[in-house]
Amino acid sequence: MTSRKFLTTPIYYATGDPHIGHAYTTVLGDVLARYYRQTGADVLFLTGMDEHGQKVQEAAAEQGVDPKTFVDRLAATFEAAWHQLNISHDRFIRTTEPEHVAVVTAFLERLWDKGLIYDAMYVGWYCIPDERYWTEKDVGEERLCPDCQRPVSHVEERNYFFRMSNFQARLIKHIEDNPEWIVPETRRNEILGFLQKPLQDLSISRPKSRVRWGIPMPFDPEHVCYVWVDALTNYVTGSGVIDPEREPDDRGFGSDTSHSRWPADLHLVGKDIITTHCVYWPTILMGVDLPLPRQVLAHGWWVAAETKMSKSLGNVVDPLALREEFGTDAVRWYLLRDMPTGSDASYTPERFLQRYDELANVLGNLASRVISMIDKYREGIIPDAPGKAMDAEIARTLEAVSENMDAFRVHDALAAAMDLARAANGYVEDREPWAQAKDPERAGDLDETLATLARVLTVLTALFEPVTPEKMADLASRLGLATPPTLVEATRVPLSGNVVTKGEPLFPRPELLAKGDLP
Ligand code: ME8
């Protein structure tokens, strides 16, 4: 049976252009999606835009355009960025789509019908940039958001509340029974710590007098749905589990979700949004009777001088600018190779160049020397020899890569793949094919050397395909292959007789690499 994988990124706020943080999560999702496809899984990879709420409404007003025009523009910008970064998502969901609006409405009706929503006065504080409520105690005397340190606004209004507190014990049990549900463990502990305090009910509506730009509450059109409830539900919309057109009892709520892609296997998120994903979202799903996602992976932040890079802080690096100079694959490689999944990382031009050099000097160099030697010594034809001299290293690498990928240690998986390229460069030095070529009696040895190297390069195209897909497609074609093989096929691809093609270096040194010129 083919295994199935449904993985998601957060849907990004339609308030500003994509930056390195958004690119990181999306490329991480893409590398995992490509890796799962390589192992033969049927993958659904979902990303998209969070387009409702006060923050979007205010951002549109600042530019003097209506919210729909504003979000259309930003959705197009994000989609273009993902296209340029070679993201292989299966669906780009937008919360303003009619299908999603209908699913959110069905969620709200379900919670209402089950008596899980009531109305009450809300008095407290609100952080508009984070779209989060805070209590008097949370914001302290300075009246600052405890998460992002920006000033909060006082609100006093009638709201609808979801009885989130009903589900506290069940949620704690779920987290305790499933140690891998939230990874890494530090984030799991953070959520368990948060759940030690009594869980409050969640305000899930905004009066239209304050926020117009949202999905109307089906039982009170004077209120719109809280943007986080709207946004989180995108994962269910994307799964196809709910059919809002049907009668309320027959819409697909319940534990049997086999007709759809729900539950998601993995929600990828930054550590800034774990409370919403690991507390609000599972309790809402419990409320409507849907199974919980199988796993939530929270990664760290790209920081500049210890501070999170973010649009509103104005300290962001534009990944697309780096891409123009170094190519898409170099940016993808840097983002994933440099950040241990789960920890923070700091962008510096020096680190970027160091990582780029690894691509150019280890992988790029191996590819060009192997192809040049086959061209020079064997008229461009991969010799017919077993080529198994590095099979032990190959087997070890394949094992290390899958072990690390399966545990989301993508940076370690990539390091292991690069080590195989390094070992192959070492093998070239040991075998000295240039000396073998001078001695007609060693023609068989030379065939073996070149066949071994062609085989390692083929395996490398499979190993690097998830992170550098464009360059690996190029390298595969230089080895006479239509596409990089899958990981399963990589060691079985017949190579002898293939004609290789010499070309420009895979990772050229761009002009003007003065470090100061990098963004
Ligand atoms: O929170 N480092 O959207 P958002 C690493 N719409 N990742 C970063 C980052 C950084 N400096 N900055 C942003 C929202 N990210 C909601 C999500 S989901 C149902 C709704 C990434 O545009 C990271 O994945 O603020 C973070 O969680 C996400 O972008 C927040 O994007």
Side-chain angles (χ1 to χ4, degrees):
M1 209 180 81
T2 320
S3 63
R4 307 211 308 173
K5 287 276 184 193
F6 172 23
L7 75 155
T8 68
T9 72
I11 50 170
Y12 307 110
Y13 283 127
T15 47
D17 289 342
H19 60 67
I20 191 169
H22 305 122
Y24 172 72
T25 318
T26 314
V27 173
L28 173 61
D30 190 57
V31 170
L32 291 171
R34 287 174 185 270
Y35 168 72
Y36 296 141
R37 288 188 199 109
Q38 280 226 353
T39 61
D42 171 13
V43 173
L44 172 61
F45 175 29
L46 180 71
T47 188
M49 302 300 288
D50 187 352
E51 302 188 335
H52 288 128
Q54 184 167 5
K55 173 170 157 147
V56 174
Q57 177 178 306
E58 289 183 359
E62 257 170 47
Q63 302 221 345
V65 288
D66 70 281
K68 184 69 171 82
T69 310
F70 184 73
V71 298
D72 283 350
R73 214 181 277 164
L74 277 160
T77 308
F78 271 78
E79 241 186 321
W82 300 157
H83 179 72
Q84 290 184 316
L85 285 174
N86 217 343
I87 304 300
S88 64
H89 51 285
D90 299 287
R91 177 158 175 194
F92 185 82
I93 194 167
R94 299 180 53 189
T95 54
T96 49
E97 282 171 31
E99 182 196 351
H100 175 72
V101 172
V103 172
V104 172
T105 307
F107 260 60
L108 294 167
E109 283 171 353
R110 174 104 180 160
L111 294 174
W112 178 256
D113 290 347
K114 290 185 67 186
L116 290 171
I117 294 178
Y118 61 91
D119 72 322
M121 273 310 280
Y122 179 84
V123 185
W125 299 89
Y126 195 69
C127 171
I128 300 171
D130 283 354
E131 298 275 17
R132 290 277 307 271
Y133 278 115
W134 298 109
T135 62
E136 194 75 34
K137 212 164 125 217
D138 294 330
V139 301
E141 278 174 19
E142 285 83 34
R143 311 282 185 239
L144 295 178
C145 167
D147 260 10
C148 71
Q149 307 302 320
R150 284 171 287 205
V152 288
S153 324
H154 190 257
V155 282
E156 194 167 337
E157 62 195 20
R158 199 168 71 86
N159 279 179
Y160 288 94
F161 287 80
F162 163 56
R163 294 189 191 279
M164 187 156 76
S165 56
N166 285 13
F167 301 96
Q168 177 163 14
R170 211 174 126 191
L171 178 60
I172 293 173
K173 181 162 184 339
H174 182 80
I175 299 173
E176 283 175 348
D177 290 350
N178 298 279
E180 298 277 292
W181 188 62
I182 305 171
V183 282
E185 204 182 344
T186 43
R187 302 297 156 224
R188 176 174 182 263
N189 293 339
E190 203 177 307
I191 293 293
L192 282 172
F194 176 84
L195 288 169
Q196 278 182 355
K197 284 184 290 182
L199 191 57
Q200 306 293 310
D201 287 341
L202 181 67
S203 161
I204 57 161
S205 72
R206 302 287 172 268
K208 269 201 174 156
S209 53
R210 182 156 72 88
V211 189
R212 298 200 66 77
W213 185 236
I215 300 176
M217 299 300 270
F219 39 82
D220 185 346
E222 283 314 301
H223 290 252
V224 299
C225 179
Y226 171 39
V227 65
W228 267 106
V229 174
D230 171 347
L232 289 161
T233 308
N234 92 85
Y235 303 132
V236 159
T237 308
S239 77
V241 66
I242 298 304
D243 182 352
E245 301 286 310
R246 300 173 84 108
E247 290 302 309
D249 280 347
D250 191 28
R251 287 179 177 159
F253 293 107
S255 53
D256 180 9
T257 56
S258 54
H259 60 287
S260 75
R261 300 299 294 245
W262 193 255
D265 293 282
L266 181 65
H267 288 326
L268 283 176
V269 296
K271 64 181 181 180
D272 45 330
I273 53 176
I274 53 165
T275 316
T276 50
H277 281 79
C278 301
V279 180
Y280 298 3
W281 183 224
T283 53
I284 294 168
L285 287 165
M286 288 173 188
V288 299
D289 306 299
L290 278 173
L292 305 193
R294 296 205 171 92
Q295 214 168 20
V296 180
L297 169 63
H299 64 69
W301 284 339
W302 283 93
V303 295
E306 314 289 307
T307 315
K308 179 182 173 223
M309 286 190 203
S310 84
K311 283 178 286 231
S312 34
L313 296 173
N315 59 352
V316 297
V317 172
D318 177 4
L320 299 180
L322 286 167
R323 179 191 154 267
E324 275 163 31
E325 182 116 6
F326 292 86
T328 301
D329 284 351
V331 175
R332 294 171 56 104
W333 160 259
Y334 167 71
L335 290 175
L336 289 206
R337 180 65 192 90
D338 220 44
M339 181 185 265
T341 328
S343 317
D344 289 350
S346 172
Y347 168 82
T348 68
E350 290 78 11
R351 297 285 295 178
F352 185 88
L353 287 178
Q354 220 176 325
R355 292 301 183 195
Y356 185 79
D357 281 347
E358 213 178 1
L359 273 183
N361 298 342
V362 183
L363 179 59
N365 181 37
L366 176 72
S368 41
R369 68 205 296 209
V370 171
I371 291 177
S372 303
M373 288 190 295
I374 296 174
D375 183 71
K376 185 164 166 197
Y377 304 136
R378 289 294 179 263
E379 292 170 342
I381 298 172
I382 301 180
D384 186 6
K388 292 187 184 295
M390 287 192 67
D391 275 15
E393 281 92 337
I394 292 178
R396 261 202 308 277
T397 307
L398 289 173
E399 207 180 300
V401 167
S402 20
E403 214 177 280
N404 283 310
M405 285 302 274
D406 294 342
F408 308 121
R409 289 188 301 264
V410 180
H411 57 293
D412 287 336
L414 297 180
M418 194 54 97
D419 282 344
L420 178 63
R422 221 170 254 121
N425 277 319
Y427 175 77
V428 175
E429 305 304 326
D430 289 348
R431 297 281 288 188
E432 299 186 326
W434 44 90
Q436 292 174 333
K438 284 190 189 137
D439 181 353
E441 281 188 13
R442 295 174 71 196
D445 289 349
L446 180 60
D447 283 349
E448 174 63 18
T449 306
L450 297 177
T452 297
L453 289 167
R455 185 172 164 85
V456 176
L457 268 190
T458 305
V459 171
L460 288 168
T461 62
L463 290 171
F464 279 87
E465 189 277 339
V467 66
T468 54
E470 203 179 309
K471 299 291 183 180
M472 291 307 104
D474 186 359
L475 178 55
S477 85
R478 292 186 199 195
L479 291 167
L481 302 170
T483 54
T486 66
L487 282 170
V488 189
E489 297 160 352
T491 50
R492 296 192 220 131
V493 184
L495 292 166
S496 64
N498 277 17
V499 179
V500 302
T501 322
K502 283 211 316 183
E504 295 293 308
L506 278 181
F507 300 101
R509 292 288 304 185
E511 300 301 306
L512 241 178
L513 278 194
K515 291 175 183 145
D517 291 340
L518 284 184

